[in-house]
Every structure is written in C-alpha cells, then in structure tokens.
Amino acid sequence: MSHTPTPTPHPAGTSRAAQKEQSRRALLDAALLLLDHQNLSSLGVREVTRAAGLSPAGFYRHFRDLDELGVTLVTESLGSLHLMIEKVLAEQGEPERLIERTVAVIARHVREHRAHIRFLARERHGGVQPVRAAIAAEFAAFTEQTAAALSLQEESADWSAADLSMLAALYVEHLVGTAAAFLEAPAGSRAAEQRIAARARDQLRLISIGRRHWTSAKG
Amino acid sequence: MSHTPTPTPHPAGTSRAAQKEQSRRALLDAALLLLDHQNLSSLGVREVTRAAGLSPAGFYRHFRDLDELGVTLVTESLGSLHLMIEKVLAEQGEPERLIERTVAVIARHVREHRAHIRFLARERHGGVQPVRAAIAAEFAAFTEQTAAALSLQEESADWSAADLSMLAALYVEHLVGTAAAFLEAPAGSRAAEQRIAARARDQLRLISIGRRHWTSAKG
DNA sequence: AAAGTCAGCAAACAGCTGTTTACTGAATGA
DNA sequence: TCATTCAGTAAACAGCTGTTTGCTGACTTT
C-alpha cells in the first residue's frame, strides 16, 4: 500500500551480465558527456546517475568512487590512443609523406574521439591524483614504445638509448600538444584545423631536420 | 540582546583601502592554496572564505563569482611568467650557453612560483571557460613576443613571418611542457630536477639544430 | 563634530550532496 | 520447480552548498 513495486527495470529477455554492462556503459557515457564542460573533481555521483538514468545507489553496484570511474575512463581513452600511435609508428615511406600521414591520423583521431581526448587533456594535470598518475604512466609507456620504434629506423643507427628516449619524448609531447590544439579549434572549422595541421607538419619537419643533423653531446 | 555586536574585525589603525586589499589577498592566497589539490571548477565560495578567515558573505565584497577570482589568479600567474620570458629572451651569447640559462631560469621560476604554475597547467585545459580563454590569449601573446624576439636574431635573417611564428610556438610549447615536467618532479628531488633539465636542454639543442638547417617548404 | 561610506557579519533560505539501509523481483543455477 | 543471487530501488541521514538579507561600527569625508 505504501509504495508501488518497481516494474521491469530493464528490457527483459537479456542476460543479467549484459544488463549490468549496459548500465555500466550508461554511467561511463554519461560521465564523459558531463566532463565536456566540467572537471572530474567537480563531478558528482548523483549528477552522473541522473544523466545515466539510474538511481544514486545504483552507482555503487559498479564503482567504489568517482575516482574509480575516472581511472576506467583513462584506460578506455588511452586504449584507443594506443592503437592510433601504433598506426602512426607502423607507417613507412619517405619522411615528408610520413609527417603528412602522422598529422592526418592525429586530426582524424581527435575528430572521432573528441570526448576521450578532451578528458585526457583536461585531467592530465587535473586535481585527481590517481587519474593523473594513470595518465602519466601510460604516456611514459608511449614514449618508450616510440623510442623502440625509432631505434629500428636506419636514421638512428648510432643513437644512444638516452638520446632516443629524449627524441621520443619530444615527439610524444608534440603529438599531445597538437591533439590539444585540434581540440581548441572551433569544432568543425576546417580552416582552423588546416592551419593547425600545417603548423604541426612544419614543426615535425624542423624536428626531423634536427634529428638528421644531431650529434650527441660529449663529442 | 539577541545578538552581540562584532568587535573590531581588523587590526585597527590601517587605512580602509589597505584593509580591503588585505582581505582580497587572503582570499586569493587561500584559493591558490586549495587549488594545489583541487580544480577550480570544484572550488567553493564557502571553502575559500573559510580558509581565508572571512564570512561567506564577505566574498561578494571582492568578487562576483569564483570565475572572476579565477581570472584574477590567471592574470597574476601570467604576470610573473611574462617577466620570466622576457628575461629568457633578453639573454645573449653563444647558443649552448643560452640554452643552459633558459632551462635554469625555467627551473628557478617553477621552484619560486610553484602554486601559480600548477594553477596554469591545471586550468589551461580545465573546465572553466573564461579561465581557459584568458590563459590561451596570454599564451598566444607569448608566442608573438617570442617570434618578435627571434626575428631580431641574425640566425633568422631570411625567415618568413609564418615560419618564425611556427618556431616560436614550438619554443613556447616546449617551455610550458618543461615547466609542467618540473612540477611533476617529487617536490624537492634535485636528482629528478636535473634529469628533466638535461632532457629539456637536449631537446632545445635538437630544435636549434633544426632551426639552423631549416629551409622553408616551397623550395 | 556630524554625516556618509562600505567591509564584514550572522542568520536564514531552499536545494543540493555522498552514502547507507532494507526492499524487490527478474535472471540464474540446482 | 524451488532456492539463490544480485542489479536496481526508494527513503532517509546529516551535512554541505551559493546567495541574499539587514545590520553594525570603524574609517573617511564634509
């Protein structure tokens, strides 16, 4: 008499695990959407569950905290980035063509994963320590991966490991900076995008010229 | 009878304007302190006034919102950075010595203005639009300023304006990245600081080699 | 000396927050 | 078929939030 019981909370007929996964995704997607205009440290449990269509208590069936949800988002965001970087590193051909492809891949990735990339840029130096740590760890791994790929190229035959790592860090930082620049571009303005791309290509050209003429310090 | 009146709220004897400024500073300093572990978008009025030793209502005698306070912090933080960049650009001498000085100046600045720099790094891509815009505008000005300084050097005699701007952007981004790297260093670890400094110097060397051998695109 | 300014206050407002509780009922496994 | 599991719920908890109000009393001007 006091409360009406709740009728079928899910489109019945699906497996239980699939139902749960669906809710989990709803939470992650809702959070990512809210994080477009907001910082992770100011996100609220109720806010997320409201946007995802769950009751507040439901949140705790999936995550201990918002930090945990944040770390999950980091993992997802970096997963796709990882694939992109592998794609870039696998490219072959003359340097000029390679630079062109690299920047195009970055631009495309930002266009197709805007929310993820913005999240990474925003939380890389954000106020939530575990999230910052997760991002930093993964970026370090990218740098190592890049260094390994560079060491296989003939241009770096006589490079020391330290120098390769230094160069890889420069490339990764440039990649991140370029992605962030694409983000700032007034969403959809091809003109702005092309200006950013042109500049990024020139910067990569300059760096690869430096690379070609590099001679390690203690000469 | 109902409420006891408040006794002298300030160390009497000071001018009114000075008293007000003192409270304003207390607010800004308290905010900056809180922003060490937090994002601007999650900062609260009550939180700041509590830390500054004011009543909540007192906040509104100084700022309309927290966004306004944020923009003020941006202005202050970038003011000191501006001075630093001028210092770097004014340096003269052989490239190697110049690079060394540049990195040293950055390291020193981060050490002495930790809170300001962390704030800038954190809010550059943060969730508060007006603050983001203020930072972006000032960074663009830095780039222009750097381009102007570069154009005065003999190494860039035959450089186009666009190429100079591209190079300046690369330098500024590298500067910002280096400052952020110093921030991550386990506060006080000279070893970590020196590793970062060494890498930054090598990267600057590589860039300046690229600069020396640069020939514009449409050749 | 009298009048005016205004920084700071306490109190009250409605509305929000994270988290826990005891419950329900569909999907699952015996 | 019956017992178990467990994702999701509504309700309640104490505690927090931004902002407005009317007031006070020290400084400042006249």
Side-chain angles (χ1 to χ4, degrees):
Chain A
M1 185 210 260
S2 52
H3 37 211
T4 353
T6 318
T8 325
H10 275 292
T14 2
S15 91
R16 184 126 89 162
Q19 281 179 29
K20 179 165 186 183
E21 179 55 24
Q22 202 172 56
S23 293
R24 196 181 127 100
R25 269 255 62 83
L27 286 171
L28 289 167
D29 291 347
L32 209 47
L33 207 75
L34 290 167
L35 288 171
D36 210 303
H37 307 287
Q38 216 171 148
N39 246 310
L40 180 59
S41 70
S42 71
L43 198 63
V45 170
R46 290 186 113 105
E47 200 181 357
V48 175
T49 53
R50 201 183 306 129
L54 260 76
S55 77
F59 177 86
Y60 299 95
R61 299 279 180 213
H62 301 274
F63 304 98
R64 179 189 307 279
D65 289 316
L66 273 167
D67 290 14
E68 196 174 294
L69 181 147
V71 172
T72 305
L73 284 178
V74 172
T75 308
E76 290 197 354
S77 304
L78 286 166
S80 64
L81 231 199
H82 201 272
L83 293 177
M84 186 207 89
I85 290 193
E86 273 180 351
K87 197 165 163 187
V88 164
L89 294 178
E91 300 266 357
Q92 292 195 350
E94 50 157 354
E96 181 56 31
R97 176 96 187 108
L98 217 145
I99 285 174
E100 203 174 291
R101 288 288 306 141
T102 298
V103 173
V105 168
I106 297 173
R108 181 151 187 261
H109 190 86
V110 172
R111 236 182 285 123
E112 294 178 356
H113 299 82
R114 235 189 152 62
H116 276 145
I117 300 297
R118 176 154 31 215
F119 170 69
L120 289 176
R122 185 156 293 170
E123 300 303 329
R124 183 184 182 194
H125 301 289
V128 182
Q129 202 272 330
V131 168
R132 245 168 26 225
I135 295 177
E138 213 66 28
F139 277 13
F142 284 161
T143 301
E144 252 185 89
Q145 183 184 357
T146 301
L150 291 177
S151 75
L152 297 179
Q153 303 178 345
E154 47 186 329
E155 293 100 308
S156 28
D158 55 349
W159 280 58
S160 74
D163 283 354
L164 275 176
S165 163
M166 175 278 287
L167 176 62
L170 189 56
Y171 275 133
V172 169
E173 185 117 356
H174 184 263
L175 182 151
V176 172
T178 302
F182 278 124
L183 274 184
E184 307 294 324
S189 160
R190 293 295 165 143
E193 264 193 28
Q194 295 197 346
R195 239 180 318 114
I196 292 166
R199 166 159 297 184
R201 281 192 297 264
D202 278 346
Q203 290 171 338
L204 282 177
R205 274 182 206 118
L206 192 143
I207 291 174
S208 76
I209 291 175
R211 180 187 178 191
R212 227 161 15 243
H213 293 85
W214 177 259
T215 53
S216 192
K218 316 287 173 191
Chain B
M1 186 208 254
S2 52
H3 37 212
T4 353
T6 319
T8 323
H10 274 292
T14 2
S15 90
R16 183 127 87 163
Q19 280 179 30
K20 179 163 187 183
E21 179 55 24
Q22 201 172 59
S23 294
R24 196 181 127 100
R25 270 254 63 82
L27 286 170
L28 290 167
D29 291 347
L32 209 48
L33 207 75
L34 291 166
L35 288 171
D36 210 301
H37 308 288
Q38 216 171 147
N39 247 311
L40 180 58
S41 70
S42 71
L43 198 62
V45 170
R46 289 185 113 105
E47 200 181 356
V48 175
T49 54
R50 200 183 308 129
L54 260 76
S55 77
F59 176 86
Y60 299 96
R61 300 278 181 213
H62 301 274
F63 304 99
R64 179 189 308 280
D65 314 294
L66 273 167
D67 290 14
E68 197 175 293
L69 181 147
V71 172
T72 305
L73 284 179
V74 172
T75 308
E76 289 197 356
S77 304
L78 286 167
S80 64
L81 231 198
H82 202 272
L83 293 177
M84 186 207 88
I85 290 193
E86 272 180 351
K87 198 166 164 186
V88 165
L89 293 178
E91 300 265 356
Q92 291 196 350
E94 51 156 355
E96 182 56 31
R97 175 97 188 108
L98 217 144
I99 285 173
E100 203 176 292
R101 289 289 305 142
T102 299
V103 174
V105 168
I106 296 173
R108 182 152 188 260
H109 190 87
V110 172
R111 238 182 284 123
E112 294 179 356
H113 300 80
R114 234 187 153 63
H116 276 146
I117 300 297
R118 174 152 32 215
F119 170 69
L120 288 176
R122 185 156 290 171
E123 300 303 328
R124 183 184 182 192
H125 301 289
V128 182
Q129 201 274 330
V131 168
R132 246 169 25 227
I135 296 177
E138 212 66 28
F139 276 12
F142 284 161
T143 302
E144 251 185 271
Q145 183 184 358
T146 301
L150 290 178
S151 76
L152 297 179
Q153 303 179 345
E154 47 187 328
E155 292 101 308
S156 27
D158 54 350
W159 280 58
S160 73
D163 283 354
L164 275 175
S165 163
M166 175 278 288
L167 177 62
L170 189 57
Y171 275 134
V172 169
E173 184 118 355
H174 184 263
L175 182 150
V176 171
T178 302
F182 277 125
L183 274 185
E184 307 296 323
S189 159
R190 292 295 166 142
E193 265 192 26
Q194 296 196 345
R195 240 181 315 115
I196 294 165
R199 166 160 295 185
R201 281 192 298 263
D202 277 346
Q203 290 171 337
L204 281 177
R205 275 182 206 118
L206 192 143
I207 291 173
S208 77
I209 292 174
R211 179 187 179 193
R212 222 155 28 235
H213 294 84
W214 177 260
T215 52
S216 192
K218 317 287 173 189

